[in-house]
Amino acid sequence: MNSIRLVLLMVARLYLTMCHFETTSKNSCEHEKLSPKIVNKDLVSAVKVIIEEVFSTKFTTVNIITATKGSEQHRSNDLMTAILIQNREKYAVRLDGYMNIVPIKTRLKAFNMFLLDGIETFRVLNNQLTPNYFKFSGFYLFVLINGKSVEHDEIFETLWKRHIFNVNLIYQDVDAVSVMTFMPFTRDTRCGNTKAVLVDQFVNGSFQGSLDSLFPSKFRNLQNCPIKVVTFEENLAVFRDETLNGTYELRGYDMDLLNVLSSSLNFKKEMKFLTIRLPWGYVLPNGTVTGALAELQKETQQIAIGDYYLKPNRLNVLESSVTYYSFPLVFVIPSAANSSAFRKLLQPFRRIVWVLLLATFLCGLLVIFLINIRLKRLRSFVYGTGVKHPVTNMLIVIFGSSQPKLPRRNFSRFLLMMFSIFCLVQRGIYQGSLYIFLQSDGLEKEMETLDEMIENDFEFTIFESNLDIFEDQPGIQKR
Amino acid sequence: MRLEYSRKVQRIYLNGFRLKVTAVNPLDNPINSDQKISYLVSLAEVMASNQKNSKKFVHKICHEPMRTDNIVMYFPKNFFLVGAINEKLSALTSSGIIEYFIQNFTKFNTKPIESGPKELNLRHLEGIFKILLIGCATSTLILLLENFHAKVFKKLKINRRYAT
């Protein structure tokens, strides 16, 4: 009784383990052959190592796609079951059939394992490998369930032409499990070579080499192979400089950068310099691409360089590099006007200060005028009886000279003292400030903000090459 | 095309701004101080223009930029070298080599701005000399008027004396 319960528990656990995986195929849980007749133990172990040690360290979901037909389907199912049983919840698995691949809504499939039975199936599968579903720069492991018989070179050549390059084939060889790939840039072969090369072998339960080199880097050294670069005259980024022998040399900071990339990745630049109108190119709303960008879209050129802005509409049809520099988009403004010679003398005080000063002196004049005309009896109280020219005396106080005759009354003395102090302070401030203004270049204030320019009803001019800056954000440009 | 500007939300609206599109590079000519126009261009273009025309004129820019744009290279979709180039670009950017390349082409031979007191020349004191000249002219005029007034007044006095 206990033994029957144990068997039932084991079957239930196996079933649950399989259903735990993220699956798109209903048949996966209903497969009647859950107890696998393992096709090849070493192949399963090797695949397990690649998934667990290479794939799942970089990503948590592995896409397994069965590309088999007819009787081979059972073999691939057995192989897949054997692989899945060994998964100890280290990674999630998405299962797909090669004829009905279901896309992931939020991302592209990056880590993919294909169970492949032959070249015919691969040709059908190839049509299903679309950039809408798969990340072409991702990792691709093809498990050849029928061993070496499949045409390796055709698979590699087909995938390389489609820009899928992190590709490994794994199969059971005579005495070991072999992992094959292609190296497009090696010393003794032509550029873009897709001949299969052995990466590693799985013998006695382990790979011979390092696991890090199972998917080797293929583009560290391009072995002086040509890369087509399209560019054009663009300010200081790329420009033609005439040499002594009458030819032109391309210079600029983008050319310097390209030279460094060329020498560090060891590729030969094949430059194409566009001299057409608007050579940088646009991605128009109807999807038409022009200029250098069109050359990339048609794949007649491979790199476009020349102070290119990162723009969302370009990313729909092209690939961009990381940002390597940033330039602000600025407003070029008129130079500040020169101040007139008289204006410099008035610059120390703002207009309101001048108005108040003038009002103070006018008040003084008005008081003197009223006293002289109507209130002669108050003269001795305000500026003294002996003062014959009070207006001149007021000017003397303003300019800081000494008074020829002082008043005798206390009130008039106090009034003179207060006015003298007021004028002394004002004069000191004016003189100190005037000295600074006289030394300056005497320029009017420049526009400092967009607000100021808009308030002053400025007209803004934009070069047509920059016009599509606004097209990406129709309506609102948030600053 | 007009670009409306709302101060409250600090946003610029494309429809409403007085925006003029030009096919020729606007930076080939200077903006006079009395013109109420502004060019919206990349700082790289301004630097290139200033370097090219430094003997004739230099463009000035507003302290407040419109926005910052990122510079990239473009490739065909799924181009195999993107990853390798990105790796190199990241290393070159973080080490400051790209900055160095750009500065090689954008630096100017400019005099450092002098600080401290300056010698005042006639241009600085032009205003006060003008006031002196105007004052002298006015006082000369007053002298002539006084002279004229005195002569006329004296004649009138003599005539009045003879009359009495």
Side-chain angles (χ1 to χ4, degrees):
Chain A
M1 192 68 183
N2 280 344
S3 60
I4 293 168
R5 276 181 66 188
L6 191 66
V7 170
L8 280 171
L9 272 169
M10 282 176 69
V11 170
R13 185 175 172 183
L14 177 62
Y15 185 82
L16 284 171
T17 309
M18 288 190 68
C19 292
H20 169 76
F21 304 134
E22 200 181 342
T23 175
T24 55
S25 168
K26 285 181 181 176
N27 293 334
S28 306
C29 292
E30 293 164 2
H31 196 273
E32 68 269 23
K33 294 188 174 182
L34 286 178
S35 173
K37 182 186 82 179
I38 293 172
V39 180
N40 189 303
K41 200 178 168 185
D42 280 350
L43 184 61
V44 171
S45 301
V47 169
K48 177 183 164 260
V49 169
I50 292 175
I51 291 176
E52 287 188 356
E53 304 299 330
V54 181
F55 280 11
S56 62
T57 53
K58 294 173 182 165
F59 214 68
T60 53
T61 303
V62 177
N63 306 293
I64 299 180
I65 295 132
T66 51
T68 51
K69 57 188 179 184
S71 60
E72 300 298 335
Q73 210 157 358
H74 292 301
R75 283 186 80 182
S76 75
N77 284 348
D78 288 345
L79 186 67
M80 188 166 64
T81 309
I83 294 164
L84 293 178
I85 286 169
Q86 297 197 32
N87 177 15
R88 296 286 179 262
E89 299 181 7
K90 283 187 178 176
Y91 51 90
V93 176
R94 287 185 68 93
L95 301 176
D96 277 311
Y98 76 120
M99 293 302 286
N100 55 345
I101 297 170
V102 180
I104 306 172
K105 282 180 185 170
T106 51
R107 59 176 189 274
L108 296 173
K109 294 170 187 254
F111 292 86
N112 307 296
M113 188 180 90
F114 298 88
L115 302 173
L116 192 67
D117 65 354
I119 197 70
E120 291 298 326
T121 328
F122 171 76
R123 285 171 192 150
V124 180
L125 170 70
N126 182 39
N127 296 326
Q128 304 292 320
L129 292 176
T130 65
N132 299 333
Y133 294 178
F134 292 92
K135 187 179 180 182
F136 281 11
S137 58
F139 292 83
Y140 293 77
L141 179 69
F142 286 85
V143 183
L144 307 180
I145 61 170
N146 286 334
K148 202 179 177 179
S149 59
V150 181
E151 287 290 327
H152 299 173
D153 291 347
E154 186 183 331
I155 294 175
F156 287 141
E157 194 180 344
T158 309
L159 295 174
W160 172 241
K161 277 181 185 166
R162 301 200 59 192
H163 305 297
I164 299 174
F165 41 85
N166 285 318
V167 184
N168 278 2
L169 300 183
I170 185 166
Y171 58 89
Q172 176 66 54
D173 217 343
V174 181
D175 50 355
V177 175
S178 299
V179 181
M180 308 291 285
T181 191
F182 66 100
M183 298 300 285
F185 302 103
T186 47
R187 192 176 295 168
D188 303 322
T189 56
R190 65 180 171 82
C191 300
N193 172 48
T194 52
K195 197 143 185 70
V197 291
L198 182 70
V199 179
D200 207 343
Q201 283 196 312
F202 190 80
V203 184
N204 297 329
S206 65
F207 281 104
Q208 302 295 295
S210 162
L211 289 175
D212 294 335
S213 57
L214 275 175
F215 281 91
S217 299
K218 298 175 180 178
F219 311 116
R220 292 267 162 84
N221 184 345
L222 270 64
Q223 304 294 345
N224 207 28
C225 286
I227 294 292
K228 293 173 184 170
V229 184
V230 61
T231 191
F232 43 85
E233 188 100 27
E234 179 61 26
N235 295 321
L236 301 172
V238 182
F239 57 89
R240 283 182 296 181
D241 201 11
E242 196 171 356
T243 57
L244 290 172
N245 55 11
T247 57
Y248 286 99
E249 182 194 3
L250 289 179
R251 291 187 63 224
Y253 51 79
D254 270 355
M255 289 310 299
D256 284 352
L257 173 61
L258 191 65
N259 291 337
V260 171
L261 290 176
S262 161
S263 64
S264 64
L265 294 170
N266 193 20
F267 65 80
K268 189 170 71 185
K269 305 181 307 270
E270 272 187 8
M271 299 299 300
K272 182 174 182 182
F273 189 82
L274 294 183
T275 51
I276 56 170
R277 192 175 170 271
L278 308 175
W280 45 86
Y282 293 101
V283 178
L284 302 174
N286 62 6
T288 314
V289 186
T290 63
L293 301 181
E295 302 253 7
L296 295 183
Q297 198 194 25
K298 286 184 278 183
E299 298 195 10
T300 50
Q301 298 293 322
Q302 292 168 302
I303 299 175
I305 191 166
D307 248 358
Y308 269 112
Y309 287 166
L310 181 65
K311 292 179 183 174
N313 61 352
R314 290 175 178 170
L315 296 180
N316 294 333
V317 289
L318 299 168
E319 200 91 42
S320 85
S321 71
V322 292
T323 299
Y324 60 86
Y325 205 71
S326 298
F327 275 116
L329 196 66
V330 293
F331 294 99
V332 176
I333 51 170
S335 307
N338 282 320
S339 290
S340 67
F342 287 117
R343 185 155 165 71
K344 268 189 190 177
L345 299 176
L346 298 175
Q347 268 176 332
F349 293 145
R350 281 182 176 263
R351 190 174 295 170
I352 183 70
V353 180
W354 283 119
V355 168
L356 283 173
L357 282 175
L358 203 64
T360 311
F361 300 140
L362 284 174
C363 278
L365 287 176
L366 188 68
V367 168
I368 293 166
F369 179 74
L370 285 174
I371 287 170
N372 279 347
I373 302 296
R374 299 266 176 189
L375 307 164
K376 286 187 179 172
R377 57 196 165 81
L378 293 178
R379 186 186 289 181
S380 61
F381 286 101
V382 181
Y383 54 80
T385 46
V387 178
K388 289 181 180 175
H389 305 289
V391 176
T392 314
N393 278 14
M394 193 176 85
L395 288 173
I396 286 170
V397 176
I398 290 169
F399 290 105
S401 299
S402 59
Q403 286 286 323
K405 195 167 187 180
L406 292 170
R408 289 179 184 171
R409 293 274 184 171
N410 285 335
F411 177 71
S412 53
R413 280 177 178 167
F414 181 76
L415 206 62
L416 176 66
M417 189 178 73
M418 292 310 296
F419 191 64
S420 297
I421 291 170
F422 171 76
C423 289
L424 176 76
V425 173
Q426 292 293 343
R427 210 170 45 244
I429 294 168
Y430 179 79
Q431 283 172 347
S433 188
L434 182 67
Y435 180 69
I436 296 166
F437 276 102
L438 284 179
Q439 282 196 323
S440 69
D441 294 325
L443 298 173
E444 298 280 348
K445 192 171 160 283
E446 286 174 345
M447 293 290 134
E448 286 181 348
T449 61
L450 183 57
D451 287 344
E452 280 182 41
M453 283 191 276
I454 289 168
E455 277 163 18
N456 283 287
D457 198 28
F458 265 56
E459 186 186 74
F460 296 89
T461 304
I462 189 166
F463 193 29
E464 62 182 340
S465 66
N466 294 329
L467 191 60
D468 59 348
I469 289 166
F470 298 111
E471 283 175 6
D472 304 332
Q473 294 101 350
I476 301 169
Q477 273 285 338
K478 194 174 181 181
R479 289 196 294 167
Chain B
M1 218 169 0
R2 280 189 79 81
L3 198 88
E4 286 167 16
Y5 177 76
S6 161
R7 187 192 292 263
K8 281 182 188 171
V9 290
Q10 291 288 295
R11 282 173 181 167
I12 293 166
Y13 298 90
L14 181 60
N15 301 317
F17 206 1
R18 278 218 300 162
L19 195 69
K20 190 178 150 190
V21 181
T22 173
V24 291
N25 190 349
L27 298 176
D28 287 342
N29 297 308
I31 308 178
N32 295 330
S33 53
D34 57 338
Q35 286 178 298
K36 283 190 171 182
I37 55 172
S38 173
Y39 302 144
L40 186 56
V41 288
S42 162
L43 183 63
E45 289 172 58
V46 181
M47 288 194 292
S49 167
N50 281 353
Q51 204 169 58
K52 190 173 135 193
N53 304 306
S54 59
K55 287 182 182 168
K56 296 181 218 161
F57 60 86
V58 172
H59 286 296
K60 292 198 167 183
I61 57 167
C62 181
H63 292 299
E64 185 187 15
M66 172 85 176
R67 68 174 203 191
T68 299
D69 276 298
N70 298 320
I71 308 296
V72 295
M73 294 177 195
Y74 283 104
F75 314 102
K77 272 275 181 199
N78 302 308
F79 180 50
F80 64 88
L81 217 50
V82 176
I85 288 179
N86 281 347
E87 215 174 277
K88 295 287 175 196
L89 285 178
S90 300
L92 291 170
T93 310
S94 55
S95 61
I97 291 174
I98 293 179
E99 179 91 35
Y100 170 75
F101 286 157
I102 291 171
Q103 279 178 1
N104 268 349
F105 286 92
T106 54
K107 69 181 172 193
F108 289 92
N109 294 322
T110 50
K111 283 183 189 171
I113 296 168
E114 290 171 15
S115 58
K118 280 189 210 170
E119 275 182 14
L120 295 181
N121 55 31
L122 191 59
R123 191 169 58 84
H124 293 123
L125 299 170
E126 189 187 342
I128 202 68
F129 277 109
K130 278 183 179 171
I131 285 181
L132 179 67
L133 284 173
I134 291 167
C136 289
T138 314
S139 56
T140 311
L141 191 70
I142 289 167
L143 173 73
L144 292 172
L145 282 172
E146 255 185 325
N147 202 14
F148 174 74
H149 178 263
K151 277 183 181 171
V152 171
F153 195 71
K154 199 177 175 183
K155 220 175 207 179
L156 281 173
K157 260 187 175 177
I158 293 165
N159 288 344
R160 210 175 287 161
R161 196 180 293 167
Y162 279 113
T164 52

